[in-house]
Amino acid sequence: MGNAAIPHWYEPKHEPDTFVEGEGARVYNDEGEEYLDFVSQLYCVNAGHSQQHIVDAMTEQAEKIPYVSSGSRNPQRDRLARRLTEKAPPNMSNVVFSISGSEANETAMQIVRDYQDAPKILTRWRSYHGATYGAGALTGEPSTRTVLEKHSAASGHAKFLPPLDFCGPFDADTPEELGEQAADHLEWVIRNEGPDSIAALFTEPIAGSSGAYPAPPGYFDRVREICDEHDILLVADEVITGFGRCGEWFGVQTEDLQPDVITFAKGVTSSYAPLAGAIVSEELGDYLEREGLPVGQTFAGHPVSCAAANAAMDVYGDGLIRNVRDLEGHLESHLRELEEFPKVAEVRGRGFLWSVDFGDPDAEDNAFLFDPRVDEGDNPIETLREHAHDRGVVFGAGRPDTQVLICPPLCATREEIDEAVDVLAESIDATF
Ligand code: PMP
């Protein structure tokens, strides 16, 4: 009794760890045992676990003035808004702060629906956009949806298929063809839903917790064209992909994609404190300045969190994003060696966001790979992660439970990558 509750989908087979300390890419439990944190604690601690610069900035702000309401100005908040729009793609002018990723997406929904005077949002199957009442209705991961049906608003939105080759209905010979087919399908969904009823399309530029999959070449060019043609705004959910995770400040920059809104959370403060928000285009920024914000949240843009974010941005710019670019090839080539294992179906990702998918890529009816109802008790991926845990490395659990996600802090070294991937190989060997 008296313990903090753990969401059922996150509960590992073993007793949950009690982590009490962290240093760089490593965390330590209450018995002093060391683990390489190759999931950055839910893809959050991008800067690593011991950034004194961030701690100092938070302390300094808390000592000056702990909280300033969103109706007043604060230098840390203003500076952060300026820096975020400078790092985002061109023509993004304003930031609306929030607290969590779900709430940032709720905020973005409110803004685009207000601006467009249209109710529907388009999202992808196998996406994650949050678990709150509104954002939960956007989430398109089938296994999570079955839970969210009870806990989020009746959707009223529309879903479309992601450009995935081995579990979608597309039949393409090349990645380019896959991108074309998936974009054609999107256009079909829009025409059937009625373009005038759609305010925006939300998408992760590189799908995160649902499997670290980048889009095929040309796909996002078509998506942008289709949105423009039908007057649909494009919202990039960068809750995982932002702040260096994919080798640039934002994931859209690895796709050369110009969104109308970017939502962010997690990495913005390296999760030293909760902070999230939406960076909006000049057009939306002008609208918000003219009309005012539809709503607000008390702790949105908390000054201590903004101080943490400004300090985290210093650290990212000072070499951590470069570290991802320097080492992503090394991480990829090491992970690709795992394709030798017969049970490894696919290795995918970008930057420091990767997935190893298990199953048989040639099977006609690959229930193990794609059935969201895989019995948790029999799930070999949990066993695999357990083996890795016993060997001192924590990996992420993808959704559906057919994947292991590899998502180290951006400060991870070449040696730490080698150590973690060697453990992953040993764990695959021990499981299958
Ligand atoms: N969007 C994406 C892409 C996410 O991965 C998440 C959380 N993992 C969210 C939104 C929701 O963020 P939060 O849990 O902070 O509400």
Side-chain angles (χ1 to χ4, degrees):
M1 293 295 281
N3 284 331
I6 292 181
H8 88 279
W9 54 265
Y10 195 58
E11 196 168 4
K13 261 190 193 165
H14 58 83
E15 272 298 298
D17 288 296
T18 300
F19 290 129
V20 291
E21 267 177 60
E23 173 83 37
R26 292 175 195 267
V27 286
Y28 300 85
N29 69 13
D30 53 351
E31 287 167 18
E33 289 164 340
E34 178 183 292
Y35 294 89
L36 259 181
D37 181 5
F38 261 50
V39 64
S40 304
Q41 297 301 303
L42 267 186
Y43 337 106
C44 282
V45 189
N46 288 13
H49 290 279
S50 49
Q51 290 288 355
Q52 193 58 41
H53 181 56
I54 304 178
V55 177
D56 290 345
M58 292 171 70
T59 309
E60 196 183 315
Q61 180 58 43
E63 282 173 355
K64 273 189 188 153
I65 180 164
Y67 174 70
V68 176
S69 82
S70 51
S72 306
R73 289 206 174 280
N74 172 260
Q76 287 285 2
R77 196 188 286 147
D78 286 344
R79 176 163 183 251
L80 179 61
R82 209 169 43 247
R83 293 175 83 188
L84 288 169
T85 51
E86 279 165 14
K87 295 299 179 199
N91 301 327
M92 307 209 72
S93 67
N94 292 52
V95 181
V96 182
F97 285 110
S98 189
I99 306 150
S100 67
S102 301
E103 288 158 298
N105 284 329
E106 302 264 348
T107 301
M109 278 168 81
Q110 288 160 342
I111 293 170
V112 296
R113 290 170 85 172
D114 216 38
Y115 179 77
Q116 297 277 63
D117 196 19
K120 279 186 209 159
I121 309 285
L122 288 178
T123 54
R124 308 204 290 201
W125 289 111
R126 298 191 65 169
S127 63
Y128 190 85
H129 296 294
T132 50
Y133 198 65
L138 302 186
T139 289
E141 174 48 53
S143 54
T144 316
R145 273 241 59 78
T146 53
V147 180
L148 285 175
E149 297 299 343
K150 279 189 291 187
H151 299 293
S152 62
S155 154
H157 303 302
K159 304 266 181 310
F160 60 100
L161 290 162
L164 271 183
D165 50 2
F166 64 75
C167 69
F170 305 118
D171 185 16
D173 291 330
T174 63
E176 288 76 9
E177 217 176 288
L178 173 67
E180 284 294 324
Q181 289 181 8
D184 289 345
H185 153 80
L186 169 63
E187 194 146 28
W188 184 90
V189 172
I190 291 172
R191 286 188 193 287
N192 278 276
E193 290 290 334
D196 290 347
S197 71
I198 301 168
L201 178 153
F202 280 51
T203 180
E204 298 159 81
I206 294 99
S209 58
S210 47
Y213 54 92
Y219 174 73
F220 274 122
D221 294 340
R222 279 284 313 279
V223 171
R224 182 71 262 187
E225 270 169 35
I226 292 168
C227 285
D228 288 345
E229 189 184 327
H230 297 291
D231 190 23
I232 293 169
L233 296 172
L234 201 157
V235 180
D237 179 338
E238 297 250 19
V239 168
I240 286 184
T241 52
F243 301 96
R245 175 58 58 200
C246 299
E248 297 283 350
W249 280 96
F250 294 100
V252 286
Q253 288 155 335
T254 68
E255 288 286 343
D256 211 10
L257 174 65
Q258 175 74 51
D260 299 294
V261 180
I262 288 176
T263 56
F264 62 86
K266 297 186 189 272
V268 62
T269 63
S270 192
S271 300
Y272 279 63
L275 183 71
I279 312 173
V280 303
S281 67
E282 274 175 16
E283 197 177 318
L284 287 170
D286 289 349
Y287 175 78
L288 292 179
E289 283 185 8
R290 218 173 41 243
E291 302 290 327
L293 270 178
V295 282
Q297 296 153 12
T298 301
F299 291 135
H302 193 291
V304 176
S305 300
C306 289
N310 275 312
M313 285 186 78
D314 294 342
V315 180
Y316 296 141
D318 266 356
L320 285 195
I321 298 182
R322 201 174 330 114
N323 190 52
V324 176
R325 280 195 220 123
D326 288 349
L327 291 182
E328 66 182 327
H330 180 73
L331 175 59
E332 172 171 6
S333 60
H334 214 5
L335 286 173
R336 291 224 179 273
E337 289 165 15
L338 303 176
E339 287 173 334
E340 296 291 313
F341 288 99
K343 280 284 180 196
V344 171
E346 189 165 277
V347 172
R348 277 190 314 266
R350 184 167 296 162
F352 273 12
L353 174 61
W354 286 82
S355 171
V356 175
D357 276 44
F358 292 87
D360 175 0
D362 299 323
E364 286 274 303
D365 177 16
N366 211 327
F368 168 49
L369 253 182
F370 311 122
D371 190 339
R373 294 157 300 173
V374 170
D375 178 353
E376 277 178 30
D378 296 338
N379 187 350
I381 304 303
E382 273 306 305
T383 309
L384 194 159
R385 290 176 61 239
E386 188 72 13
H387 281 300
H389 182 269
D390 291 347
R391 290 164 172 77
V393 184
V394 182
F395 291 110
R399 298 192 199 99
D401 293 340
T402 54
Q403 308 157 339
V404 170
L405 292 180
I406 299 100
C407 197
L410 315 190
C411 60
T413 62
R414 185 178 289 264
E415 292 70 31
E416 285 168 337
I417 288 172
D418 291 346
E419 185 183 334
V421 182
D422 286 350
V423 163
L424 184 52
E426 283 172 31
S427 308
I428 296 171
D429 216 20
T431 306
F432 296 107

